[in-house]
Amino acid sequence: QVQLVESGGGLVQPGGSLRLSCAASRGLFSINAMGWYRQVPGKERELVARISSGGSTNYADFVKGRFTISRDITKNTVYLQMNSLKPEDTAVYYCGADRLSGTTMYHYWGQGTQVTVSS
């Protein structure tokens, strides 16, 4: 089991920045990958950024150059630094974790945090 708790969402003006945090209930090296996803009403949840247990990262094209995913191993926490925010970045952002147990990959979700980009 992995519990995930997100924080850091809020209201920001276009061009502004926010940093989201996701605290995991177990060590990050025991989790195969962690990621940030987002969802707007009426649309499917989509991947924003992902970081593997080895530290490799990948990003959705629509955030490349603006968002950065990172982690603090000592705090079991993954971050999403969001810069140059646009109104279309408005969504509920979810932290997700993939963990292999035996031969089964389990996926876990946090509760989500609202990000609103508006003037």
Side-chain angles (χ1 to χ4, degrees):
Q1 279 276 27
V2 182
Q3 282 81 45
L4 304 169
V5 178
E6 300 112 330
S7 61
L11 173 65
V12 63
Q13 292 188 341
S17 298
L18 279 176
R19 189 177 79 157
L20 306 182
S21 300
C22 174
S25 61
R26 60 188 306 146
L28 298 185
F29 287 136
S30 71
I31 299 171
N32 295 79
M34 291 188 67
W36 287 97
Y37 302 75
R38 69 187 189 186
Q39 189 170 22
V40 297
K43 292 191 175 182
E44 291 194 354
R45 196 169 296 185
E46 59 183 359
L47 176 68
V48 175
R50 192 170 181 267
I51 186 166
S52 72
S53 58
S56 59
T57 59
N58 60 285
Y59 296 89
D61 286 343
F62 53 78
V63 301
K64 282 182 180 177
R66 300 189 298 126
F67 292 10
T68 303
I69 189 169
S70 63
R71 63 184 182 179
D72 187 333
I73 299 297
T74 64
K75 297 181 179 179
N76 295 342
T77 300
V78 173
Y79 303 96
L80 185 69
Q81 177 66 44
M82 304 185 294
N83 299 327
S84 302
L85 282 160
K86 305 175 182 180
E88 52 264 42
D89 293 319
T90 296
V92 178
Y93 283 71
Y94 295 90
C95 179
D98 296 321
R99 184 172 182 270
L100 183 66
S101 179
T103 58
T104 303
M105 184 69 78
Y106 294 91
H107 192 81
Y108 302 91
W109 292 109
Q111 81 282 2
T113 185
Q114 177 71 45
V115 171
T116 302
V117 184
S118 175
S119 55

